[in-house]
Amino acid sequence: MDDKTESLLKRLAQGDQRALSRLITYVDNDHPDCLEALASLDHSQSMSKLIGITGPPGAGKSTLTDQLISSFRHQKLNVGVIAIDPSSPFTGGAVLGDRIRMQRHAADDGVFIRSLGSHGSHGGLSNATRDVVALMKAFGLEKSSPFDVIIVETVGVGQTELDIMSLVDTTVVVLVPESGDTVQTMKAGLMEIADIFVVNKSDRTGADHIFGELKVLSHIAATEDWEIPVHKVVASQGKGLEDLLNSLEIHQKTLEKTSSENSEKKNQVLRQQVLSILTHQIEKRVLEKGFEITEGENPYAVVKRLLSEMNK
Amino acid sequence: MDDKTESLLKRLAQGDQRALSRLITYVDNDHPDCLEALASLDHSQSMSKLIGITGPPGAGKSTLTDQLISSFRHQKLNVGVIAIDPSSPFTGGAVLGDRIRMQRHAADDGVFIRSLGSHGSHGGLSNATRDVVALMKAFGLEKSSPFDVIIVETVGVGQTELDIMSLVDTTVVVLVPESGDTVQTMKAGLMEIADIFVVNKSDRTGADHIFGELKVLSHIAATEDWEIPVHKVVASQGKGLEDLLNSLEIHQKTLEKTSSENSEKKNQVLRQQVLSILTHQIEKRVLEKGFEITEGENPYAVVKRLLSEMNK
């Protein structure tokens, strides 16, 4: 690890946002010092609460995130935001408008916002997000000015989102009255991922219908500890936000109460993280070294060759 | 590699369907001989045409696949089918009805159908599918009774489906008049994945509208070599099938004509395959050996430890 990286890590621990920015760029560009730097972080003192916001495109996730930031700032909490846009090779793209609105918080020292697109994320978006979360959790720990809340906002409910949402404590799935189709076809995925449901734009026709459907699903899937609450929200007007904030708090408390039962699940997530960090590193090394492959060659035979070279 | 595996591989090359079934089970269970067996296959003589069928749930993909099987059998072609159902931890699940209909071909010696669910696919569905395709391509090569056509049918248009569809030559995306929302939100993904569009259930209201939308998109995305054709089909009645078969043939011919331009893309796919086979193998080995991790431990530090152990 070179001196520059080491100094950036020190400034990160002291709560320097510019150092955080630089280190995120390191991670995004797969800088040679990345693994070393991330391995040196000490999260044991981190108290950041991790909230995930996901849902189909156009559900108003950025508007909701924007409102949540305001509420948390009102409580004098520091907020870090990772806004993920897998649909665009560049950050911004179609949702640039919403993101710009969110950026009004950028002038606020207690808020840090970073967008991640599929561009430059060599190991895929879930790898990049995991790395950025690790950096954000270590931010400001030495000066007791860490992020009290870290929000991860992403689009969709597919496998990538499941991976990303395994990083957070509480996942809010945002739907709109028009999402009836999504609810029907993604039922299993939605129930797996959601801790809280939000029906946004709930002043529109059809809001009661989808609200009812989600209520039934939540009731069926309820466990002794948690029944997914369903909230009607109009994010653009701040309506229904208080109930949502209340649910977020209750969910955090439930997690703390059931932490011993959750430790098995946490260990699973941690083991999965080790495997994906490891395979990403191996991929990186193999790509750096390069390998020969000719058209029509059996890729399994190439792997056998690579493995025996690695074991030498 | 033990004697049993070797004998199965010999029988595979001679076109023994039971041997193919057994080897697929090997792959599904991550049998210790897997890599060795797959690495020993010689695909250089394989002429199998690979067709992918994908689209949202309920679009009638299985019905269409069923009709395609009949058409190919009518032309005396041998057909292999991999039916993937990621939504279900068990094969079958919600689509069992359709799959059963397809199974009417199972008594036909010229047809081989295998379902893959997320259950038992240790390395994920795209790993399992790649392995099964490799086995199917090697089937019957010695007895000149190989599969002339291999159909891969899967649900959705997400990242997993993009990975899976990188294995085939021609991807057919099946939509229905109700898929307007999907077309709007998945535009980029659809255009990336599709070689041919099918509007199934096109006797329903709204068929003309989605047909028009797809036509416009295809026209915008057209290259010198290919403009994605859009076909109205009623799969349950076999309507529109001939035009689809015609497009499949033309697309294959276009691929052959532009094969030199495609070889760069093919090499990319092959290199990506090498990386995913390699990382899957490494993951498997690390999991077999096991590793320690305690709650709150930094996963990047664990990876550093594992890497230095591997380099010993």
Side-chain angles (χ1 to χ4, degrees), chain A residues 135-149:
Chain A
L135 290 170
M136 284 195 173
K137 276 166 79 178
F139 176 84
L141 279 182
E142 269 180 26
K143 280 280 166 71
S144 55
S145 59
F147 296 123
D148 303 288
V149 181

Side-chain angles (χ1 to χ4, degrees), chain B residues 155-196:
Chain B
V155 175
V157 281
Q159 189 53 49
T160 313
E161 289 71 35
L162 275 173
D163 288 347
I164 290 173
M165 289 304 154
S166 76
L167 299 166
V168 305
D169 304 314
T170 307
T171 300
V172 180
V173 174
V174 185
L175 297 162
V176 283
E178 293 78 13
S179 307
D181 233 37
T182 308
V183 173
Q184 282 315 311
T185 56
M186 306 289 262
K187 221 181 271 181
L190 285 175
M191 300 314 287
E192 191 180 339
I193 206 173
D195 298 305
I196 296 171

Side-chain angles (χ1 to χ4, degrees), chain B residues 255-269:
Chain B
L255 285 180
E256 283 157 28
K257 217 175 60 194
T258 58
S259 69
S260 57
E261 290 121 81
N262 282 325
S263 80
E264 175 59 25
K265 197 187 143 201
K266 267 192 188 163
N267 194 268
Q268 282 284 342
V269 170

Side-chain angles (χ1 to χ4, degrees), chain A residues 34-44 57 87 127 130-132 134 159-160 178 181-182 185 188 259 263 266-267 270-283 285-287 290-304 306-307 310-311, chain B residues 34-44 57 87 127 130-132 134 159-160 178 181-182 185 188 259 263 266-267 270-283 285-287 290-304 306-307 310-311:
Chain A
C34 268
L35 180 65
E36 200 77 27
L38 291 164
S40 77
L41 301 173
D42 178 10
H43 290 143
S44 55
S87 66
N127 272 315
R130 184 199 55 235
D131 294 349
V132 176
Q159 188 54 50
T160 313
E178 294 78 14
D181 234 36
T182 307
T185 56
S259 70
S263 80
K266 268 192 186 162
N267 193 268
L270 211 52
R271 297 186 81 83
Q272 198 46 59
Q273 283 187 21
V274 168
L275 288 177
S276 53
I277 298 164
L278 178 68
T279 50
H280 176 54
Q281 287 295 327
I282 302 247
E283 235 183 77
R285 282 159 197 221
V286 168
L287 283 174
F291 60 91
E292 287 293 316
I293 186 159
T294 54
E295 205 176 317
E297 199 176 351
N298 179 326
Y300 299 92
V302 177
V303 169
K304 254 186 75 178
L306 287 171
L307 282 171
M310 283 168 83
N311 287 333
Chain B
C34 267
L35 179 65
E36 198 78 25
L38 291 163
S40 76
L41 300 174
D42 178 11
H43 290 143
S44 54
S87 65
N127 271 317
R130 184 200 56 233
D131 294 349
V132 176
Q159 189 53 49
T160 313
E178 293 78 13
D181 233 37
T182 308
T185 56
S259 69
S263 80
K266 267 192 188 163
N267 194 268
L270 212 51
R271 296 185 82 82
Q272 199 45 60
Q273 283 186 23
V274 168
L275 288 177
S276 51
I277 298 165
L278 178 68
T279 50
H280 176 53
Q281 287 294 327
I282 301 239
E283 234 183 79
R285 282 157 198 223
V286 169
L287 283 176
F291 61 89
E292 287 294 315
I293 186 159
T294 53
E295 205 176 317
E297 199 175 352
N298 179 326
Y300 300 92
V302 176
V303 169
K304 254 186 74 180
L306 286 172
L307 282 171
M310 282 167 85
N311 287 335

